[in-house]
Structure formats: structure tokens, C-alpha cells
Amino acid sequence: MTALSVRLSGKVYASRTPGCDHKALGSLEFSIPEGQLTCILGPSGCGKTTLLNIMSGLDPDMEGTVRVGDGAPDGHAIGYMFQTPRLLDWLSVIDNIRLVMDKEAIRSGRAERLLKQMRLEDVMDAFPNRLSGGMQRRVALARAFAVNPGVLLMDEPFISLDAPVANRLRHLLLEIWSARPTTILFVTHDLHEALYLADRVLFMSSSPGRIVLDLAVDLRRPRDPNDPAIDELAHSLLREHPKLLAGLAKGSSEEA
């Protein structure tokens, strides 16, 4: 069953100066089946965050359609994890989680279970400014799953973290995803991260962004971030598409 369907003919940011409008996204179309973890990877400025904002409903000003689940108004909640944790410093860790939950979910103890899964049960009454950056991201990750989303959008959520901390968070993401099957769309600029996490990677062109390669990642799960097979796949992919990380795939109409 399809969890998310996107069909866009473009996204333009209007300028007050005639002739200076910015086309952030070109024509693109894809669908994500339920339970798939898909990464979107592309060069800086290609419109990855713009695309997530459109899919989340934060930016409805676009040309095209986005369909979540079966379209039922009460059907598929959308979660969104941003590049920064966006926690409220005047609320405790557990209250930051409960903030997005309804009364029934709060009474069920979901917040406590999520924090325990994130290894944060000892700091649930602490305030976010007392936590390390990695711990704040874990709280944000727990909050993203707190609404029990049908679709979870993640915009480079582990960016700027030290490699060991980022790897720990990637592992936690996969652990909670396997326990709570959720359709995830994960934006990254890191090819290794994408191949470690994803069932599928959508590679975008430079601005205006469009899909230049749709890659199924045929690696067994569970995966180890240090598995040589990940590096072998990355090297093979870049041998075939040497300009892929610049937004060009072999056979692309823009390829030089």
C-alpha cells in the first residue's frame, strides 16, 4: 500500500524584482510504499528541505499534489524531525514529548516507553538545556515517534554530531523503526549514511531539484555501519555515476 505519493511540476519562490523568481524544484514524481525507509540525497541548495516542507504541509504553495495514505483526514499522522532539536527549554524532557500527544496517549505511558527506548529514562525530568547535543537529538527522535506517525519526515537530523554519536542515533532510529514500522523519508547529504539506513535512495539534481536516480539498496538487514559492503556499493555507484553527488546521473539530460 502506498503511504506517500508526490507529483510536482515545480516550486517557485517569487521575487519582488521582475525576472528574479527562484525555481527551487523542477518536475518530480515518486511514491513511497508503507514501511519503507527512503533517503533523499542531493547537493546543497537542491531543494531537499523545500520538498519536505511541501510534503509536511508547511509550504502549500506549489504546483502539484501530495497524497498521504488513503487521503482520509484521520488516517496518517505526519511526524517531522528537523535539523535542530527544537525543544522547549522551559519544559522537562518528558513534557516536551507529551506536548505533541493526546490525553489517551499520555495516559498509556507512551512517552515513558519511548524515553526508555532512547536510553533517556534517567533524565526525563531534566530540562533540555542540561543535556548534551546528542541527548537532545534523542529527545527529538522520541518526540517524532510520539504521534505514532504513518509518515515520518527527517531533515538531516544527525547533522553536525560527532561520528560516534551520530552512529548511535542512526542505530536507535533503525531499532525503533523495526519495532514500530513507519514510512520514513530521510534527507541527507551523506552517501554512506543513506546506504546504511535506506531501503531506497532518491538522488536529486542541483537546483531546480528533480530526481535523477532512484536506487534500491539491496543490502541485508540488520546492517553494520562499518560493513565493507556499504563502501563497496558507494564506490560502485560513483564509478558508474561519477557526478552523482553533484546532481548528475549517467544518462541525465544535464550530464556534461
Side-chain angles (χ1 to χ4, degrees):
M1 184 174 178
T2 299
L4 182 68
S5 178
V6 176
R7 182 178 295 177
L8 300 178
S9 55
K11 164 66 181 180
V12 176
Y13 289 107
S15 170
R16 293 181 180 179
T17 304
C20 293
D21 292 352
H22 172 60
K23 188 170 186 179
L25 293 172
S27 176
L28 52 86
E29 182 176 345
F30 61 89
S31 60
I32 310 294
E34 282 192 352
Q36 186 177 82
L37 200 166
T38 301
C39 281
I40 294 183
L41 191 148
S44 179
C46 72
K48 301 185 294 294
T49 296
T50 297
L51 181 57
L52 286 198
N53 287 340
I54 288 172
M55 288 187 287
S56 69
L58 292 176
D59 186 355
D61 183 18
M62 49 80 183
E63 302 169 27
T65 59
V66 175
R67 185 181 179 89
V68 179
D70 57 9
D74 60 348
H76 291 66
I78 295 180
Y80 201 151
M81 187 173 174
F82 299 91
Q83 292 181 12
T84 56
R86 299 196 179 190
L87 304 175
L88 301 180
D89 287 338
W90 57 91
L91 293 180
S92 66
V93 164
I94 194 163
D95 284 339
N96 267 279
I97 307 299
R98 289 171 174 164
L99 185 66
V100 301
M101 300 167 62
D102 59 32
K103 291 180 180 179
E104 183 179 349
I106 292 172
R107 284 195 297 267
S108 75
R110 184 188 298 166
E112 288 86 349
R113 291 194 298 273
L114 281 166
L115 289 173
K116 184 175 181 179
Q117 194 164 7
M118 291 291 117
R119 322 297 197 255
L120 292 169
E121 62 268 34
D122 292 338
V123 296
M124 64 173 61
D125 294 320
F127 291 96
N129 60 6
R130 299 293 184 182
L131 306 182
S132 67
M135 293 173 78
Q136 289 185 23
R137 302 291 176 95
R138 277 190 271 162
V139 177
L141 184 57
R143 185 180 58 189
F145 278 96
V147 296
N148 200 22
V151 175
L152 176 57
L153 308 176
M154 307 186 76
D155 187 7
E156 297 190 89
F158 310 139
I159 193 171
S160 76
L161 293 173
D162 292 342
V165 177
N167 276 334
R168 178 63 180 150
L169 280 161
R170 293 177 189 119
H171 176 77
L172 283 170
L173 170 62
L174 293 176
E175 186 178 83
I176 196 170
W177 173 64
S178 64
R180 300 164 176 263
T182 301
T183 306
I184 295 178
L185 201 60
F186 187 108
V187 161
T188 180
H189 65 276
D190 184 329
L191 179 58
H192 188 277
E193 179 176 56
L195 297 179
Y196 168 52
L197 292 176
D199 299 314
R200 174 186 180 194
V201 183
L202 301 177
F203 291 89
M204 290 184 68
S205 70
S206 55
S207 182
R210 58 188 183 81
I211 305 299
V212 295
L213 183 66
D214 186 339
L215 175 75
V217 181
D218 188 21
L219 296 174
R220 291 183 301 173
R221 295 189 184 276
R223 297 174 189 163
D224 183 324
N226 299 312
D227 187 344
I230 296 176
D231 288 331
E232 290 170 9
L233 178 56
H235 293 152
S236 173
L237 187 61
L238 294 178
R239 280 196 300 270
E240 185 176 357
H241 306 280
K243 299 181 181 180
L244 186 59
L245 299 184
L248 296 173
K250 188 175 180 180
S252 165
S253 61
E254 296 179 6
E255 186 179 18

